[in-house]
């Protein structure tokens, strides 16, 4: 439902989601579809920077439950296999490790789709959702009261809600204003992102080269002969690569990929993304919860970032449904504490794992190379361990939100 500009009184909702990216849109849709009067505050401004997102199986189930997957599926490519190649030059270099989705009973680990298309599809669904009111304006801050928060909009309007959901990104103004402590850090890296066309088929295999400057990842896209690139390198090297013309950059990618996908050409916009990390000490404050990058930021390794944010949204929906069923305040201390308990552990565990892997690539210390290599060898040769790692990478076994466990639509073959 689109917003109305002829308001004479301050509209009041149970939930107000601030931030119109993928996580904010999903959180607002999930809340509204549960019968909870919900507002979504934020402008629709997707960036064309060549970024794609690998939506893991649980996230696809969630999007299916929101009736958004049918619009996304035609432009999504299945990720049926993952291979990791050690290209660090270490003295201890394990052979390539390959993981197959069928081994854990999945049609695909997930599906890769352009970020801009994902956001546009969710926005289209949000506009058609009864019970969801869109305010297409930036937030100018929120002030928590005894029984509700008042959100000020940049266009002069105000909205009241019993719970405010901060989905306003890694530099979240709402988080900063709440006083929630955060731990922030920078990496000496940046990521070059773009879309590639190539002469050999990718066969639905996502390939991640581990290099001394970070991961170099090629992720399948639709059609069989296109892939998205995330090339993490030192800041200086990433800036140099970003400044190359299309032909020179394509040649550099082809060399780094060892020619495995044949001749390359640039087939989409580019982006240059600084690598940083952030973790909120607690993803909740007075009548406020943090979802997505408002609560956690880490490098694009293992497709964990957006999927973790979507789990935030799905887990919040479960708590809101229970609060509504029990007649409890959706912004009360009980829900805030439950959300903080459940999401802090998931975010901390994923952040620690991604941080440890990334830092291990940046050092040439033999013990770290040895540990990383032994880990890959163990997952290659020990079936039970490999299956545990694959399942946990796709969706945590314990505490998975309800809508991530439900059956969802799949892309047509």
């Amino acid at each position: 439902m689109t917003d109305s500009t002829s308001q004479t009184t301050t509209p009041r909702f149970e939930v107000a989601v601030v931030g119109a990216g993928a996580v904010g849109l999903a959180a607002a849709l999930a809340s509204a579809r549960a019968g909870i009067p919900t507002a979504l505050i934020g402008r629709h401004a997707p960036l064309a920077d060549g970024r794609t997102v690998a939506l893991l199986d649980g996230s696809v189930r969630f999007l299916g439950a929101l009736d958004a997957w049918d619009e996304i599926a035609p432009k999504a490519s299945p990720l049926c296999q993952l291979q990791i190649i050690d290209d660090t030059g270490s003295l201890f270099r394990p052979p390539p490790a390959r993981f197959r989705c069928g081994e854990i009973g999945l049609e695909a680990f997930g599906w890769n789709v352009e970020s801009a298309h994902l956001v546009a599809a969710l926005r289209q669904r949000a506009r058609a959702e009864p019970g969801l009111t869109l305010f297409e304006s930036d937030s100018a801050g929120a002030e928590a009261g005894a029984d509700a928060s008042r959100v000020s909009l940049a266009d002069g309007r105000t909205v009241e809600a019993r719970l405010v959901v901060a989905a306003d990104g890694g530099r979240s103004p709402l988080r900063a204003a709440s006083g929630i402590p955060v731990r922030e850090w920078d990496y000496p890296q940046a990521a070059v992102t773009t879309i590639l066309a190539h002469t050999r088929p990718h066969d639905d295999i996502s390939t991640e080269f581990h290099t001394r400057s970070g991961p170099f990842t090629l992720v399948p896209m639709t059609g069989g002969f296109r892939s998205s690139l995330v090339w993490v390198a030192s800041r200086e090297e990433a800036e140099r690569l970003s400044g190359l013309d299309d032909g020179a950059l394509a040649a550099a990618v082809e060399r780094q990929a060892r020619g495995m996908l044949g001749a390359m050409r640039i087939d989409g916009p580019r982006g240059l993304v600084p690598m940083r990390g952030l973790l909120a000490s607690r993803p909740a404050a007075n009548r406020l919860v943090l979802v997505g990058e408002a609560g956690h930021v880490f490098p694009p390794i293992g497709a964990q970032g957006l999927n973790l944010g979507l789990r935030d949204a799905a887990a919040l929906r479960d708590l809101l449904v229970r609060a509504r069923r029990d007649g409890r305040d959706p912004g009360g201390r009980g829900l805030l504490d439950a959300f903080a308990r459940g999401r802090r552990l998931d975010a901390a565990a994923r952040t620690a794992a991604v941080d440890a892997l990334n830092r291990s690539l940046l050092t040439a210390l033999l013990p770290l190379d040895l540990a990383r290599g032994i880990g890959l060898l163990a997952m290659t040769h020990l079936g039970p361990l490999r299956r545990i790692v694959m399942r946990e990478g796709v969706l945590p076994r314990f505490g998975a939100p309800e809508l991530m466990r439900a059956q969802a639509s799949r892309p047509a073959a």
Side-chain angles (χ1 to χ4, degrees):
M1 178 187 298
T2 56
D3 64 345
S4 170
T5 57
S6 58
Q7 297 171 357
T8 57
T9 59
T10 299
R12 182 157 179 164
F13 301 87
E14 292 291 286
V15 174
V17 179
V18 177
V23 173
L25 284 160
L29 275 167
S31 174
R33 288 178 64 83
I36 299 165
T38 303
L40 175 64
I41 298 166
R43 292 180 299 148
H44 179 45
L47 296 176
D49 60 1
R51 276 196 266 188
T52 65
V53 290
L55 297 165
L56 299 177
D57 184 71
S59 295
V60 171
R61 294 174 187 270
F62 181 38
L63 294 170
L66 300 180
D67 287 341
W69 183 245
D70 285 346
E71 177 67 21
I72 299 166
K75 296 185 179 180
S77 179
L79 310 178
C80 298
Q81 295 186 44
L82 167 65
Q83 63 178 350
I84 299 175
I85 299 172
D86 189 307
D87 197 21
T88 61
S90 167
L91 293 176
F92 184 82
R93 293 179 61 188
R98 182 167 287 194
F99 305 89
R100 297 172 173 83
C101 63
E103 193 173 354
I104 56 173
L106 295 179
E107 178 186 345
F109 290 121
W111 283 262
N112 192 38
V113 64
E114 290 186 57
S115 300
H117 179 63
L118 170 64
V119 171
L122 284 168
R123 191 70 173 195
Q124 177 179 318
R125 186 68 195 86
R127 289 182 181 278
E129 182 62 42
L132 178 57
T133 304
L134 276 59
F135 294 86
E136 301 200 35
S137 173
D138 291 333
S139 164
E143 182 178 351
D147 65 348
S149 287
R150 180 177 288 253
V151 183
S152 301
L153 277 59
D155 63 11
R157 291 178 292 174
T158 58
V159 172
E160 287 188 354
R162 300 175 77 188
L163 176 68
V164 175
V165 180
D168 51 346
R171 306 194 186 277
S172 167
L174 290 180
R175 183 195 66 230
S178 75
I180 295 175
V182 297
R183 181 168 63 92
E184 295 186 76
W185 60 97
D186 292 315
Y187 297 95
Q189 300 160 291
V192 177
T193 62
T194 193
I195 295 170
L196 306 162
H198 39 80
T199 56
R200 294 178 185 168
H202 53 58
D203 296 326
D204 300 331
I205 300 171
S206 179
T207 301
E208 186 171 290
F209 289 85
H210 287 176
T211 79
R212 276 290 174 229
S213 59
F216 169 94
T217 308
L218 298 168
V219 189
M221 295 186 69
T222 53
F225 293 88
R226 296 173 77 235
S227 296
S228 60
L229 169 73
V230 180
W231 189 345
V232 178
S234 69
R235 291 175 187 167
E236 295 77 11
E237 177 64 5
E239 289 173 1
R240 185 191 72 80
L241 291 166
S242 184
L244 296 176
D245 63 34
D246 283 357
L249 178 58
V253 173
E254 187 178 333
R255 286 193 300 272
Q256 181 61 52
R258 302 181 182 179
M260 67 185 334
L261 293 178
M264 298 276 193
R265 69 176 171 82
I266 305 302
D267 196 37
R270 304 189 201 180
L272 181 62
V273 186
M275 294 292 96
R276 57 188 290 260
L278 177 148
L279 184 63
S281 62
R282 173 182 166 86
N286 187 19
R287 297 203 172 272
L288 177 75
V289 296
L290 311 180
V291 297
E293 291 195 342
H296 43 75
V297 177
F298 44 78
I301 297 175
Q304 294 300 312
L306 178 64
N307 290 282
L308 180 61
L310 292 174
R311 281 204 299 281
D312 294 340
L316 176 61
R317 174 263 178 199
D318 289 355
L319 292 172
L320 289 169
V321 167
R322 290 176 204 146
R324 186 175 180 82
R325 180 191 62 205
D326 299 339
R328 292 186 285 113
D329 183 352
R333 181 56 55 188
L335 184 142
L336 298 175
D337 288 345
F339 182 82
R341 283 194 306 271
R343 302 313 306 145
R344 183 165 49 192
L345 179 60
D346 193 7
R350 302 287 160 160
T351 300
V354 170
D355 180 70
L357 175 57
N358 189 45
R359 292 186 188 278
S360 75
L361 295 174
L362 298 179
T363 178
L365 292 175
L366 185 58
L368 287 178
D369 283 342
L370 185 62
R372 188 178 64 253
I374 290 174
L376 282 175
L377 277 176
M379 286 188 287
T380 299
H381 296 289
L382 299 177
L385 174 62
R386 181 173 61 254
R387 288 186 285 274
I388 288 172
V389 170
M390 286 191 290
R391 289 192 186 100
E392 286 298 310
V394 170
L395 185 68
R397 178 173 294 188
F398 300 105
E402 179 184 346
L403 296 186
M404 290 191 163
R405 302 193 300 265
Q407 186 59 41
S409 302
R410 292 288 190 259

